[in-house]
Amino acid sequence: MTTTSMNPGVRWAPVRASVWEAELDGGHAGAIERTVRGRFVALDSAGRALGSYPSFVSAKERVAAELAGQTEAKRASLGDVLLAVLATVVGIGSIGVAASALTSLGALTLR
């Protein structure tokens, strides 16, 4: 049975008796694994442990916070890129500044 979480785009699906997978936009977004001691380990989308929690709900909240942080970081990067593009389109007035902006744009897209 698949369930929704605090984030309406995230769906949780049981994979095994003690493992649940978070799915977002059709891709793997994280997981929760129940330990033999009854704790719940939250994992990010790369499988890195985010912490151990006493309940499934608190582990889900941690995964949701991680996803929210990733979304916020993507928004910030997009904002930087848009500002650089806008400055270039409007006309910066200096080839050196334009070259610097293009270099920054390249660096921003590699994050």
Side-chain angles (χ1 to χ4, degrees):
M1 175 173 130
T2 302
T3 61
T4 59
S5 69
M6 301 98 205
N7 179 337
V10 177
R11 313 242 339 130
W12 287 93
V15 179
R16 291 190 307 264
S18 61
V19 178
W20 296 265
E21 179 183 19
E23 299 170 359
L24 180 62
D25 298 329
H28 176 73
I32 296 174
E33 183 172 351
R34 184 173 183 186
T35 68
V36 293
R37 294 187 176 213
R39 304 248 334 146
F40 296 86
V41 177
L43 304 166
D44 69 7
S45 60
R48 293 181 294 257
L50 300 172
S52 174
Y53 300 89
S55 71
F56 181 73
V57 171
S58 58
K60 278 175 63 173
E61 289 171 350
R62 178 60 182 99
V63 173
E66 179 72 12
L67 291 171
Q70 291 171 2
T71 300
E72 194 58 38
K74 286 179 185 175
R75 284 187 191 135
S77 294
L78 179 58
D80 293 343
V81 170
L82 291 175
L83 285 174
V85 169
L86 180 62
T88 302
V89 169
V90 169
I92 295 174
S94 164
I95 292 176
V97 175
S100 177
L102 290 174
T103 300
S104 294
L105 180 61
L108 287 171
T109 58
L110 296 176
R111 284 189 209 175

